[in-house]
Amino acid sequence: MTVFDAPGPRWFSIPAHRPFVEDLAAGLHARLSPLGPEALSQATVLTPTRRGARALADAFVAAAGAKAMLLPQIRALGDLDEGEPPFEPGDLALDLPPAVSSWRRRFELARIAADHSHLLERDLDASAALEMADALAGFLDSAQIEEVAARGRLESLVDGDLAKHWQVSARFLTAALDAWADRLRELDLIDVSERRVRLLRALGELWTTQPPKGVMIAAGSTGTAPATADLLAVIAGLPQGAVVLPGLDEGLAESAWADVGEQHPQGAMKRLLHRAGSSRDAVRPWFPEADSQGRWRRRLVNEALRPAEATADWLAQIARLRAEAPAGVDPFAEGLKGLSVAAARTEEEAALVCALLLRESLETPGLTCALVTPDRELARRVGARLARWGVAADDSAGSDLAGYPVAVLADHVAALSADPLDPVRLLAVAKHPLVRLGFDDAKLSDARRRLEGRGLRGPRPPSRERLFEKLKDEPEAADLARRLFTALDLAAEPFATGPASPPDAAVALARSMEALADGPDGFGALWNGAGGEGLGGLLAALSGEGEGLPEVDASGFHDLLGRLIGGETVRTGGATHPRLRILGAIEARLVRADRLILAGLEEGVWPKAPPTDPFLSRPMRKALDLPPPERRVGLSAHDFAQAASAPEVVLVHSERRGGAPAVESRWLWRLRTLARGAGAALPERHDVLEWARAIDAPKSYDPVKRPAPKPPVAHRPTTMPVTRVEALTRDPYAVWARAILNLKRIDRPDEPVDVRARGTAIHRAFEKLVEQHPHPGPLPADLAAIFRDLYLTALREEGMPDAALVREAALAREAAAWVADLEERRREHAARIVVEQSGKLVFPTALGDFTLTAKADRIEVTPDAVGHILDYKTGAAPTAKMVEAGFSPQLTLTAAILMRGGFEGIDRVMPGDLTYLRVTGRKPAGQEVTVAAAGAESLDAAEHAFEGLRRLIDRYADPDQPYLSRVAPQFVKDHAGDYAHLARVFEWSTAGEDGGDE
């Protein structure tokens, strides 16, 4: 007697703790093989997804002991899984229009959204229209799957009690649905979801009137869609039909079963059985219960996830479970065997814990392991950490297209159409591994290096002409830049006269990328491989089917392309480890491994919060007979319950996500609570946490000491500008690095120019002003306007962007007015004004003759032979206390050179006021900060600074005198310096090091 000899309907269930596809295959093989070799091959098995079908085929091979056999027909029925095609039942599909492609649907819906944006009371660009199209598609899918006729009913939902937002949504949806229906008729196409529902309905009607002759099994589906549920009911009643459910909880008390709702793991199967007119009692086990440990694990998980309304009697249920167990068996101890928890501190640590658990599995021969998580970011991190051991797991979800080099290149090229002189992106394109530009390898490498060093580092060039001017002595780099711009101009061509259509922009982008990739091997590498094929397909769809999208400018196209690329996943085969898998929660229903790692168990991740419908409120959804958002939580709970019932399970959660505290998943919390109520606790995997925290930790903590280099005395500098003396007093290590090692700071690409440009521009404006209007001599009436123009011109020459110049223009007006008043006042008492004058002073030291140099911003010589020294500042000026302490000796040492006749063309004069002119354009627009007044004060300050310098230089004549790092740490925040990273300041300063290291 076979299972099909009993009258229908036939409902079976495989317990959650059992491997579903293995038990299904073993049961069918055992029941049909005795009937003859053709009995199994004539059977049909329907699975929810194609991956489940592949897993079932492998399970049949294992069930036959690896012997040759004829497999049954295994087909994917299709459910809510994205990307899974419907089961096409032969000739029935010929009576239906073809399905609209996913790309065409998105773009057409985006056009409809843009055309009806006035109903939303806002404008939609292409990217926003695409976002709205995705929301529309979600509503259409939901309505079609639930077989709800939404058209014509939406306006009836709107009344005076609804907020204006929902009224606007209802009007927009009504118009969009009508427009989409009209467009589908024009194209003679149909939505994928609607076509699937019609096929399933037609198949159900056909099998009701003409039952298939062979065995028909539907396995693993929970019948969430009405059409699928009705088809399952038909299959269960076929003469040789049966439905095998995944993990029906037959042990849940009737009172609790009555409370099962949308968010419960059993909610979908309860709805299925109710719709089919069957009861839970009619469902039979596929195999008799045999695994005691698995049974108690399943009961434990199911009890933990029972409806919230039924948790009040947990203590009584704990007692009942213990009463059910045989003598000497603790059901909770049995159920917790093989179950453990790892609580990571952060999501980074959680990824490493998962990788270590996967890697640990490989130490046991033949052991298979799978990571199950809905968190794609976590899955990517785990994959990256497995790479350290040269291990690649089979990731069922594939990888993001955005991570492939060809997609990165496309993003840079599109961005450069909007901002063609972005040095960072220009460098990224020039140095991209796919970019050849007709060069051979050696020449291209050298040209890239020269273009970077001489052209694209430092402030952004204001124009291409200025860039080529910087490259006038680098012909190869200039040639590379010309070819680069020629190729990039192809992508920008559609936007030359204004906004362009996305299809035209996509074609231009592809042409530009092919020009960039042109090399000895052609541009085959550009479109080869999974990434090239994925991006090529995207651009082909955009150029061929995106004519309905609104026009975009260059920046809008970059945003649109980023949204499209960001939503694409590339699935590849590749060389992966046969015993390791990374699965999504739905895929883990059918595919099982010896060890399961369930990760991402935080609220908002697993389960995800119920999605927010941008169009319909909860009452509106209920009125339309659409399922509540909580239904997906229930399906997710079922997936968790299935996986958590496996023999060996590690539950991984993170205590923090994104730097903020995370709440552990409600399911994990319920398991902990139930176990505590029974006097038990979930076992912890502290060992794996210790491995994760120790794997990259140093064996011992031995921080570096403060660097104290002692170069030979003969190599120590004997010439120094006054500005470098300041570094010698604060950070001698910086002097060693700059003057002795000759290490110079390399500018970053797109170096911010605000601070440096202001300082240089102020100096240049004052210099030009004095050159054009020397003293003595009259000052023009429009002096403020002249200075403002000089300042803004200097800023423009320094590469300040136009947007920043707009802001600076307002500041320049205020600063220029202050400068005009300053010039009037100071010139009254000056006999002569000298700007940007160089001077030097040679004096004997223990190192030998030492040369001190200076370049004075401004010296005002009075008729009584007093020289006032002024220095321009756009930032904060040193205080008198800092000058007196010797930490800012620039002006005092300049005064020492001046009083000793060190400035050519200026006789020996007494030092006057030592003043910083701080020019900002803000409130106040400028300040005169005098740190030493003329007379004895400035004379004493100059002499004190000069003698202090002499003693300082004499100290460095001692071979044992080191160039210590940061001897004046109180100024660290104000003067971070260019060599702090080289000196590893953070490391030794935070470790409390107070000595030197030779």
Side-chain angles (χ1 to χ4, degrees):
M1 179 176 179
T2 69
V3 68
F4 304 105
D5 293 333
R10 302 173 193 86
W11 296 90
F12 296 92
S13 175
I14 295 177
H17 67 278
R18 297 292 305 166
F20 188 89
V21 293
E22 286 83 353
D23 277 10
L24 178 65
L28 280 175
H29 185 268
R31 286 160 175 155
L32 297 182
S33 293
L35 302 180
E38 296 183 356
L40 190 60
S41 65
Q42 292 175 352
T44 300
V45 182
L46 305 181
T47 64
T49 64
R50 282 181 290 177
R51 189 178 185 90
R54 291 193 297 270
L56 181 58
D58 293 339
F60 272 114
V61 174
K67 296 179 181 178
M69 65 179 301
L70 295 175
L71 293 177
Q73 298 182 56
I74 306 174
R75 298 185 181 181
L77 179 63
D79 60 7
L80 299 181
D81 297 348
E82 183 180 355
E84 294 296 338
F87 171 56
E88 299 248 341
D91 294 340
L92 295 180
L94 299 178
D95 297 331
L96 295 175
V100 63
S101 71
S102 59
W103 284 117
R104 183 66 175 268
R105 187 189 197 214
R106 287 186 77 188
F107 296 149
E108 290 286 351
L109 286 174
R111 179 187 60 78
I112 290 173
D115 290 346
H116 294 82
S117 61
H118 62 279
L119 296 176
L120 294 172
E121 301 179 3
R122 67 188 181 100
D123 293 331
L124 297 176
D125 60 15
S127 182
L130 193 68
E131 182 180 7
M132 191 61 66
D134 292 338
L136 271 173
F139 171 78
L140 284 167
D141 287 340
S142 180
Q144 290 163 1
I145 290 171
E146 297 297 327
E147 302 175 65
V148 170
R151 293 176 62 195
R153 299 175 58 189
L154 289 169
E155 292 183 350
S156 65
L157 301 178
V158 180
D159 56 39
D161 295 332
L162 286 176
K164 181 180 179 181
H165 166 75
W166 301 119
Q167 298 177 23
V168 169
S169 295
R171 288 196 296 269
F172 174 80
L173 274 179
T174 299
L177 290 180
D178 290 340
W180 179 235
D182 294 341
R183 183 56 176 158
L184 285 177
R185 279 193 297 270
E186 291 176 15
L187 298 172
D188 194 22
L189 297 173
I190 191 173
D191 271 321
V192 172
S193 298
E194 184 176 354
R195 192 171 192 273
R196 177 181 297 165
V197 168
R198 289 193 190 181
L199 284 171
L200 294 176
R201 288 295 180 195
L203 191 62
E205 293 174 5
L206 176 65
W207 286 352
T208 300
T209 59
Q210 303 177 35
K213 296 180 180 179
V215 171
M216 179 68 64
I217 301 289
S221 177
T222 57
T224 52
T228 305
D230 291 346
L231 181 62
L232 293 178
V234 170
I235 293 173
L238 291 176
Q240 296 190 75
V243 175
V244 184
L245 299 176
L248 179 70
D249 184 7
E250 76 286 350
L252 190 63
E254 283 298 329
S255 58
W257 177 259
D259 292 330
V260 166
E262 296 287 356
Q263 298 192 55
H264 193 271
Q266 300 290 310
M269 284 182 286
K270 179 182 179 182
R271 287 192 304 274
L272 171 62
L273 292 172
H274 177 75
R275 187 179 183 93
S278 294
S279 65
R280 187 174 49 149
D281 296 336
V283 181
R284 291 173 287 168
W286 185 247
F287 276 142
E289 185 71 60
D291 186 348
S292 174
Q293 177 181 332
R295 175 197 175 196
W296 294 117
R297 168 73 62 74
R298 174 167 49 86
R299 293 293 303 277
L300 177 62
V301 172
N302 288 339
E303 284 299 327
L305 272 61
R306 64 166 36 208
E309 298 81 2
T311 56
D313 64 343
W314 251 353
L315 293 178
Q317 186 61 22
I318 289 172
R320 282 194 290 271
L321 285 175
R322 284 186 165 142
E324 290 179 22
V329 174
D330 183 351
F332 290 92
E334 287 293 314
L336 292 177
K337 285 182 180 178
L339 180 69
S340 58
V341 179
R345 293 170 180 164
T346 64
E347 60 264 49
E348 285 287 341
E349 187 174 273
L352 185 52
V353 165
C354 293
L356 284 166
L357 287 167
L358 288 164
R359 179 63 183 85
E360 181 192 34
S361 302
L362 299 182
E363 298 300 311
T364 302
L367 184 71
T368 60
C369 184
L371 168 66
V372 181
T373 180
D375 186 352
R376 290 303 310 151
E377 181 64 30
L378 177 65
R380 285 193 292 270
R381 286 176 171 173
V382 172
R385 279 147 189 77
L386 283 173
R388 75 189 299 165
W389 300 296
V391 175
D394 178 14
D395 190 344
S396 63
S399 54
D400 292 338
L401 175 60
Y404 282 82
V406 66
V408 173
L409 178 62
D411 177 74
H412 288 318
V413 174
L416 285 168
S417 296
D419 188 4
L421 286 171
D422 183 344
V424 175
R425 290 195 184 270
L426 284 172
L427 264 181
V429 172
K431 300 173 74 172
H432 195 281
L434 293 175
V435 172
R436 312 301 303 164
L437 289 168
F439 285 91
D440 58 43
D441 290 343
K443 189 175 181 180
L444 179 60
S445 177
D446 184 63
R448 284 169 170 168
R449 179 175 56 82
R450 294 177 183 274
L451 175 62
E452 176 181 359
R454 297 297 297 272
L456 295 178
R457 284 192 174 271
R460 174 184 299 218
S463 65
R464 291 185 181 180
E465 291 74 17
R466 286 292 298 274
L467 174 61
F468 284 112
E469 185 179 327
K470 294 171 67 175
L471 297 174
K472 61 184 178 180
D473 297 327
E474 298 289 350
E476 291 185 356
D479 184 27
L480 174 61
R482 275 189 291 271
R483 298 190 194 189
L484 182 62
F485 285 130
T486 300
L488 292 172
D489 285 345
L490 295 174
E493 194 174 282
F495 310 108
T497 58
S501 70
D504 290 344
V507 172
L509 175 66
R511 290 174 55 213
S512 176
M513 294 176 64
E514 290 179 352
L516 289 167
D518 184 26
D521 301 326
F523 51 79
L526 188 67
W527 306 120
N528 286 343
E533 292 176 5
L535 181 68
L538 187 154
L539 293 179
L542 184 56
S543 60
E545 301 180 354
E547 66 273 5
L549 288 169
E551 289 192 336
V552 291
D553 57 15
S555 178
F557 179 70
H558 177 231
D559 292 341
L560 174 64
L561 184 70
R563 178 175 291 277
L564 291 173
I565 290 176
E568 282 298 288
T569 299
V570 176
R571 291 176 173 86
T572 59
T576 59
H577 201 286
R579 293 197 280 131
L580 299 183
R581 289 174 176 171
I582 299 177
L583 303 172
I586 296 176
E587 292 164 313
R589 288 183 193 172
L590 304 185
V591 181
R592 186 63 65 88
D594 298 323
R595 169 189 285 180
L596 291 184
I597 304 164
L598 311 188
L601 289 171
E602 298 91 39
E603 284 294 307
V605 180
W606 198 6
K608 290 184 179 179
T612 301
D613 191 325
F615 295 126
L616 302 177
S617 64
R618 288 175 182 269
M620 294 169 74
R621 290 185 65 87
K622 184 176 182 180
L624 286 175
D625 298 321
L626 290 175
E630 290 78 12
R631 178 168 294 184
R632 289 194 177 274
V633 177
L635 296 174
S636 184
H638 176 262
D639 297 332
F640 170 79
Q642 283 283 105
S645 298
E648 183 179 358
V649 179
V650 183
L651 308 176
V652 180
H653 76 96
S654 175
E655 296 172 352
R656 300 183 70 85
R657 291 185 67 89
V663 177
E664 69 180 24
S665 171
R666 66 191 71 175
W667 304 320
L668 178 55
W669 180 84
R670 279 169 162 249
L671 277 171
R672 290 187 190 277
T673 304
L674 180 63
R676 280 199 299 269
L682 299 185
E684 301 278 349
R685 284 298 304 266
H686 296 294
D687 55 336
V688 183
L689 294 173
E690 291 174 0
W691 297 344
R693 292 162 189 170
I695 192 169
D696 292 320
K699 299 300 181 183
S700 61
Y701 182 57
D702 186 18
V704 67
K705 296 181 180 179
R706 184 201 305 259
K710 299 175 184 177
V713 173
H715 294 171
R716 302 189 178 193
T718 56
T719 299
M720 192 173 293
V722 293
T723 51
R724 191 69 51 75
V725 173
E726 181 173 314
L728 188 63
T729 60
R730 300 180 184 217
D731 189 9
Y733 182 88
V735 174
W736 170 78
R738 178 65 181 86
I740 299 176
L741 296 186
N742 198 28
L743 298 177
K744 299 178 182 178
R745 177 183 179 273
I746 299 177
D747 289 338
R748 293 175 295 169
D750 205 9
E751 184 85 27
V753 298
D754 289 8
V755 175
R756 185 171 64 176
R758 288 195 195 97
T760 303
I762 284 291
H763 282 74
R764 191 175 301 169
F766 271 112
E767 182 181 5
K768 292 285 186 181
L769 183 66
V770 174
E771 288 178 356
Q772 295 175 7
H773 305 283
H775 183 72
L779 288 173
D782 59 344
L783 181 63
I786 292 173
F787 185 86
R788 181 198 63 205
D789 292 343
L790 290 172
Y791 176 55
L792 292 176
T793 300
L795 283 174
R796 190 172 291 106
E797 291 174 350
E798 285 298 305
M800 180 166 281
D802 291 341
L805 281 171
V806 173
R807 178 197 61 201
E808 290 296 328
L811 299 177
R813 284 193 298 270
E814 300 297 324
W818 182 82
V819 169
D821 178 70
L822 174 82
E823 290 290 336
E824 292 280 0
R825 288 187 291 102
R826 296 202 68 92
R827 290 194 181 201
E828 289 182 8
H829 308 289
R832 182 184 177 194
I833 296 178
V834 179
V835 294
E836 301 300 327
Q837 181 66 43
S838 297
K840 69 176 181 178
L841 178 63
V842 181
F843 57 94
T845 68
L847 277 175
D849 286 346
F850 190 89
T851 302
L852 179 67
T853 64
K855 189 171 185 179
D857 290 348
R858 177 167 174 151
I859 300 176
E860 298 176 353
V861 182
T862 64
D864 54 350
V866 173
H868 300 295
I869 303 174
L870 293 86
D871 189 75
Y872 309 130
K873 294 287 185 185
T874 54
T879 64
K881 187 175 181 181
M882 293 169 62
V883 173
E884 182 181 354
F887 289 119
S888 296
Q890 179 181 350
L891 290 185
T892 51
L893 289 177
T894 302
I897 297 174
L898 177 65
M899 63 186 293
R900 288 169 172 79
F903 285 92
E904 185 178 353
I906 302 178
D907 295 332
R908 293 192 179 193
V909 296
M910 294 298 293
D913 293 339
L914 307 183
T915 302
Y916 289 101
L917 296 182
R918 185 169 183 258
V919 185
T920 64
R922 295 178 175 84
K923 293 183 180 181
Q927 290 178 293
E928 295 177 72
V929 181
T930 299
V931 294
E937 186 176 344
S938 61
L939 179 63
D940 290 345
E943 289 294 344
H944 179 72
F946 180 71
E947 290 302 320
L949 174 62
R950 189 194 297 273
R951 291 192 300 271
L952 183 62
I953 299 302
D954 286 345
R955 281 210 308 272
Y956 283 93
D958 182 357
D960 293 328
Q961 173 62 38
Y963 285 80
L964 286 171
S965 174
R966 297 291 178 92
V967 295
Q970 63 267 43
F971 301 116
V972 167
K973 291 183 179 179
D974 297 330
H975 301 272
D978 296 329
Y979 304 98
H981 64 295
L982 183 65
R984 297 165 70 173
V985 170
F986 180 81
E987 185 175 346
W988 61 257
S989 61
T990 56
E993 196 278 331
D994 58 358
D997 181 16
E998 302 185 13

Short mmCIF file of all heavy atoms in Angstrom, two decimals, residues 142-143 145-150 153 157 226 616 618-628 631:
data_model
loop_
_atom_site.label_atom_id
_atom_site.label_comp_id
_atom_site.label_asym_id
_atom_site.label_seq_id
_atom_site.Cartn_x
_atom_site.Cartn_y
_atom_site.Cartn_z
N SER A 142 1.21 43.45 -5.03
CA SER A 142 0.39 43.04 -3.88
C SER A 142 -1.06 42.86 -4.29
O SER A 142 -1.71 41.85 -3.94
CB SER A 142 0.51 44.08 -2.77
OG SER A 142 -0.26 43.72 -1.65
N ALA A 143 -1.59 43.81 -5.07
CA ALA A 143 -2.99 43.71 -5.48
C ALA A 143 -3.21 42.53 -6.41
O ALA A 143 -4.22 41.83 -6.32
CB ALA A 143 -3.41 45.01 -6.16
N ILE A 145 -1.32 39.72 -6.71
CA ILE A 145 -1.12 38.44 -6.02
C ILE A 145 -2.34 38.11 -5.15
O ILE A 145 -2.79 36.96 -5.09
CB ILE A 145 0.17 38.48 -5.19
CG1 ILE A 145 1.39 38.48 -6.13
CG2 ILE A 145 0.24 37.29 -4.24
CD1 ILE A 145 2.69 38.74 -5.42
N GLU A 146 -2.87 39.14 -4.49
CA GLU A 146 -4.05 38.92 -3.64
C GLU A 146 -5.34 38.94 -4.44
O GLU A 146 -6.42 38.74 -3.86
CB GLU A 146 -4.10 39.99 -2.54
CG GLU A 146 -2.92 39.96 -1.58
CD GLU A 146 -2.85 38.66 -0.79
OE1 GLU A 146 -3.93 38.10 -0.48
OE2 GLU A 146 -1.73 38.22 -0.49
N GLU A 147 -5.23 39.20 -5.75
CA GLU A 147 -6.39 39.21 -6.65
C GLU A 147 -7.44 40.20 -6.18
O GLU A 147 -8.64 39.90 -6.10
CB GLU A 147 -6.97 37.80 -6.79
CG GLU A 147 -5.95 36.79 -7.32
CD GLU A 147 -6.48 35.37 -7.36
OE1 GLU A 147 -7.42 35.12 -8.13
OE2 GLU A 147 -5.95 34.54 -6.59
N VAL A 148 -6.93 41.39 -5.88
CA VAL A 148 -7.79 42.49 -5.43
C VAL A 148 -8.00 43.45 -6.60
O VAL A 148 -7.02 43.91 -7.20
CB VAL A 148 -7.17 43.22 -4.23
CG1 VAL A 148 -7.94 44.49 -3.93
CG2 VAL A 148 -7.15 42.30 -3.02
N ALA A 149 -9.21 43.76 -6.93
CA ALA A 149 -9.51 44.73 -7.99
C ALA A 149 -9.50 46.12 -7.37
O ALA A 149 -10.53 46.63 -6.89
CB ALA A 149 -10.87 44.43 -8.62
N ALA A 150 -8.33 46.73 -7.36
CA ALA A 150 -8.18 48.03 -6.69
C ALA A 150 -8.75 49.17 -7.51
O ALA A 150 -9.24 50.16 -6.97
CB ALA A 150 -6.70 48.29 -6.40
N ARG A 153 -11.98 51.35 -6.76
CA ARG A 153 -12.30 51.29 -5.33
C ARG A 153 -11.51 52.30 -4.51
O ARG A 153 -11.82 52.54 -3.35
CB ARG A 153 -12.05 49.89 -4.78
CG ARG A 153 -12.89 48.79 -5.44
CD ARG A 153 -12.49 47.43 -4.93
NE ARG A 153 -12.62 47.30 -3.50
CZ ARG A 153 -12.18 46.26 -2.78
NH1 ARG A 153 -11.56 45.26 -3.42
NH2 ARG A 153 -12.33 46.22 -1.48
N LEU A 157 -12.32 55.08 -0.88
CA LEU A 157 -11.65 55.01 0.43
C LEU A 157 -11.43 56.37 1.03
O LEU A 157 -11.13 56.50 2.22
CB LEU A 157 -10.30 54.30 0.27
CG LEU A 157 -10.32 52.88 -0.29
CD1 LEU A 157 -8.90 52.37 -0.42
CD2 LEU A 157 -11.14 51.96 0.61
N PRO A 226 -3.28 33.63 -2.66
CA PRO A 226 -4.54 32.88 -2.80
C PRO A 226 -4.53 31.88 -3.94
O PRO A 226 -5.02 30.75 -3.79
CB PRO A 226 -5.57 33.99 -3.03
CG PRO A 226 -4.99 35.18 -2.36
CD PRO A 226 -3.51 35.08 -2.57
N LEU A 616 -0.96 53.72 0.94
CA LEU A 616 -2.17 53.32 1.64
C LEU A 616 -1.92 53.22 3.14
O LEU A 616 -0.92 52.66 3.57
CB LEU A 616 -2.69 51.98 1.11
CG LEU A 616 -3.02 51.89 -0.39
CD1 LEU A 616 -3.45 50.48 -0.74
CD2 LEU A 616 -4.08 52.90 -0.77
N ARG A 618 -3.17 51.72 6.93
CA ARG A 618 -3.65 50.39 7.32
C ARG A 618 -5.17 50.24 7.12
O ARG A 618 -5.61 49.22 6.59
CB ARG A 618 -3.27 50.11 8.78
CG ARG A 618 -1.79 49.86 8.97
CD ARG A 618 -1.45 49.71 10.45
NE ARG A 618 -0.03 49.51 10.63
CZ ARG A 618 0.57 48.33 10.66
NH1 ARG A 618 -0.16 47.24 10.52
NH2 ARG A 618 1.86 48.23 10.83
N PRO A 619 -5.98 51.21 7.52
CA PRO A 619 -7.42 51.06 7.24
C PRO A 619 -7.72 50.97 5.76
O PRO A 619 -8.63 50.23 5.35
CB PRO A 619 -8.02 52.33 7.86
CG PRO A 619 -7.04 52.75 8.90
CD PRO A 619 -5.70 52.38 8.35
N MET A 620 -6.99 51.69 4.92
CA MET A 620 -7.22 51.63 3.49
C MET A 620 -6.84 50.26 2.94
O MET A 620 -7.54 49.70 2.09
CB MET A 620 -6.42 52.73 2.79
CG MET A 620 -6.91 54.14 3.13
SD MET A 620 -5.77 55.43 2.55
CE MET A 620 -6.09 55.41 0.79
N ARG A 621 -5.73 49.69 3.41
CA ARG A 621 -5.35 48.35 2.98
C ARG A 621 -6.39 47.32 3.40
O ARG A 621 -6.73 46.42 2.63
CB ARG A 621 -3.98 47.97 3.57
CG ARG A 621 -2.80 48.74 2.98
CD ARG A 621 -1.49 48.20 3.54
NE ARG A 621 -1.26 46.82 3.12
CZ ARG A 621 -0.67 46.48 1.98
NH1 ARG A 621 -0.24 47.41 1.15
NH2 ARG A 621 -0.50 45.21 1.67
N LYS A 622 -6.88 47.47 4.61
CA LYS A 622 -7.89 46.52 5.09
C LYS A 622 -9.17 46.63 4.27
O LYS A 622 -9.79 45.61 3.92
CB LYS A 622 -8.18 46.79 6.56
CG LYS A 622 -9.14 45.78 7.18
CD LYS A 622 -9.31 46.03 8.68
CE LYS A 622 -10.24 44.99 9.30
NZ LYS A 622 -10.42 45.23 10.75
N ALA A 623 -9.54 47.87 3.91
CA ALA A 623 -10.75 48.05 3.12
C ALA A 623 -10.61 47.46 1.73
O ALA A 623 -11.60 47.03 1.12
CB ALA A 623 -11.09 49.54 3.03
N LEU A 624 -9.39 47.40 1.21
CA LEU A 624 -9.13 46.82 -0.10
C LEU A 624 -8.87 45.31 -0.03
O LEU A 624 -8.56 44.69 -1.06
CB LEU A 624 -7.92 47.51 -0.76
CG LEU A 624 -8.15 48.92 -1.29
CD1 LEU A 624 -6.84 49.50 -1.79
CD2 LEU A 624 -9.19 48.92 -2.40
N ASP A 625 -8.93 44.74 1.15
CA ASP A 625 -8.66 43.31 1.35
C ASP A 625 -7.21 42.95 1.02
O ASP A 625 -6.91 41.82 0.60
CB ASP A 625 -9.60 42.45 0.48
CG ASP A 625 -11.06 42.65 0.85
OD1 ASP A 625 -11.34 42.77 2.06
OD2 ASP A 625 -11.89 42.70 -0.07
N LEU A 626 -6.31 43.90 1.23
CA LEU A 626 -4.88 43.63 1.07
C LEU A 626 -4.32 43.15 2.40
O LEU A 626 -4.81 43.55 3.47
CB LEU A 626 -4.14 44.89 0.62
CG LEU A 626 -4.43 45.36 -0.81
CD1 LEU A 626 -3.73 46.68 -1.09
CD2 LEU A 626 -4.00 44.31 -1.83
N PRO A 627 -3.32 42.28 2.38
CA PRO A 627 -2.79 41.74 3.64
C PRO A 627 -2.12 42.83 4.46
O PRO A 627 -1.55 43.79 3.90
CB PRO A 627 -1.78 40.69 3.18
CG PRO A 627 -1.38 41.12 1.81
CD PRO A 627 -2.61 41.73 1.20
N PRO A 628 -2.15 42.72 5.77
CA PRO A 628 -1.48 43.71 6.61
C PRO A 628 0.04 43.57 6.50
O PRO A 628 0.55 42.50 6.14
CB PRO A 628 -1.96 43.35 8.03
CG PRO A 628 -2.28 41.90 7.95
CD PRO A 628 -2.80 41.67 6.57
N ARG A 631 2.14 40.51 7.90
CA ARG A 631 2.16 39.17 7.35
C ARG A 631 3.59 38.73 7.04
O ARG A 631 3.95 37.57 7.24
CB ARG A 631 1.30 39.08 6.10
CG ARG A 631 1.33 37.71 5.44
CD ARG A 631 0.27 37.56 4.38
NE ARG A 631 -1.07 37.60 4.97
CZ ARG A 631 -2.19 37.41 4.25
NH1 ARG A 631 -2.12 37.20 2.95
NH2 ARG A 631 -3.37 37.44 4.85
#
